[in-house]
Amino acid sequence: MAPEPQKIRTLVLGASGKIGRMLRASWTLKPPQDIEFIYVYRNDPPEEGGIVWTPEESCENLPDIDVILALWGATPSNGSALNANVSLAHSALKLALAKGARKVLHCSSAAVYAPQGHVLSEEDAGEAANAYGQSKLEMERAIQAWDQENPGKIENVMLRIGNVAGAESLFGNMTPGGEVFLDRFPNGKGPERSYIAPPDLGQVIADLIRAKTVTGPINVASPEPVEMAELAVAAGCHVTWKPAPGNAVQSVVLDTRRLQAICDLGANASDPTHLVEGAKIGGVWP
């Protein structure tokens, strides 16, 4: 009898955050058979199979691994200084070298883009719209500089993740049966954004863990943009419109052709009902 193929051992840093909880729930419901996830928590008591570890500690007791998924990071909502995003990226790289990982998936953000009036490809980053986006852009540049100093040692992938259904501000302001306020623009419509459901994000990450020689930034979202009003209706909310202020941005849409060549999310990935159902994964929303 042929031996079973060895699973890809993947260390997940930042497993207790919103996206970490959603991904853990998604992978519990539909576990990738060829990947073993090892969850790392910085402060919270670990769930079964989890590990408590911080970058200040020795990594001697951590297992050898194939891939690191670095979900951890500083955000405006978690109270950490945003410049920590660079140091956390360096910590992930140091850990990868120490534990034999061939690849690191770094959690970046679509916030690295400034709105430019067109669909945003991976080549469009260069000036972020806010301090959070700038911190992620600086993180990406630090990773690229590390690559130049250490050619061929690690496959670094920067996940420029769009709006994760259930984990961003629209869902934070929505309660089924409640009211949500949205900007209305001169064309009569509201804002549209690139979204992804947590289970689909789990599929994307699993496919990128498996992928060979994928490096650099990659946009992560469903193929088509989604109108926020349609999401609100699908969530059972009443939409109240207000005139969009002059500095409001109607459309922030990611070009996902690079991602689609690696991962096929299916025809309904951008469907508002699908996104709302996916948002319920992991107990983060509603």
Side-chain angles (χ1 to χ4, degrees):
M1 180 181 296
E4 291 187 7
Q6 186 175 359
K7 291 187 176 184
I8 305 170
R9 304 194 81 196
T10 300
L11 199 69
V12 182
L13 304 173
S16 59
K18 278 186 181 180
I19 293 177
R21 281 180 278 163
M22 288 175 154
L23 288 172
R24 285 188 285 124
S26 298
W27 289 324
T28 297
L29 291 171
K30 190 177 180 181
Q33 298 303 309
D34 58 340
I35 301 172
E36 176 188 356
F37 293 107
I38 303 163
Y39 298 114
V40 176
Y41 306 81
R42 295 187 67 185
N43 300 306
D44 303 278
E47 298 182 8
E48 184 178 354
I51 301 169
V52 171
W53 179 79
T54 68
E56 293 76 27
E57 298 177 71
S58 167
C59 65
E60 183 178 347
N61 293 328
L62 295 179
D64 289 341
I65 45 164
D66 303 298
V67 176
I68 288 177
L69 171 60
L71 297 176
W72 60 10
T75 69
S77 62
N78 68 15
S80 301
L82 293 178
N83 60 8
N85 285 317
V86 171
S87 61
L88 288 171
H90 281 137
S91 294
L93 291 166
K94 181 179 178 181
L95 183 61
L97 290 177
K99 292 298 171 180
R102 58 178 173 79
K103 178 186 294 187
V104 180
L105 304 180
H106 301 269
C107 187
S108 187
S109 170
V112 300
Y113 298 110
Q116 298 181 37
H118 60 261
V119 176
L120 299 163
S121 74
E122 285 84 356
E123 287 73 37
D124 284 321
E127 182 182 349
N130 54 44
Y132 172 65
Q134 187 62 33
S135 75
K136 287 295 189 179
L137 195 57
E138 289 170 2
M139 179 197 79
E140 290 191 10
R141 289 169 176 164
I143 294 166
Q144 291 164 344
W146 188 94
D147 275 334
Q148 292 176 354
E149 295 170 3
N150 301 273
K153 287 190 176 181
I154 301 287
E155 294 176 19
N156 284 300
V157 185
M158 288 81 86
L159 309 178
R160 292 178 178 168
I161 303 173
N163 291 15
V164 180
E168 48 72 73
S169 59
L170 175 64
F171 280 84
N173 289 315
M174 291 196 308
T175 302
E179 184 178 25
V180 63
F181 294 86
L182 292 176
D183 291 336
R184 175 172 274 159
F185 292 84
N187 65 357
K189 293 186 176 183
E192 65 173 2
R193 298 290 186 267
S194 289
Y195 273 85
I196 189 166
D200 292 339
L201 179 59
Q203 179 185 336
V204 165
I205 289 172
D207 283 349
L208 288 171
I209 287 170
R210 300 182 186 106
K212 306 296 184 185
T213 63
V214 176
T215 58
I218 185 165
N219 289 337
V220 176
S222 60
E224 301 296 331
V226 182
E227 292 189 23
M228 287 184 169
E230 293 183 353
L231 275 175
V233 171
C237 293
H238 171 71
V239 175
T240 297
W241 295 101
K242 57 188 179 67
N247 62 347
V249 178
Q250 183 168 15
S251 182
V252 180
V253 179
L254 301 181
D255 181 343
T256 60
R257 286 176 294 179
R258 187 179 185 211
L259 177 68
Q260 292 176 53
I262 299 166
C263 178
D264 180 9
L265 291 177
N268 71 334
S270 303
D271 178 74
T273 300
H274 172 78
L275 290 163
V276 168
E277 288 305 308
K280 299 174 183 177
I281 299 294
V284 173
W285 184 87

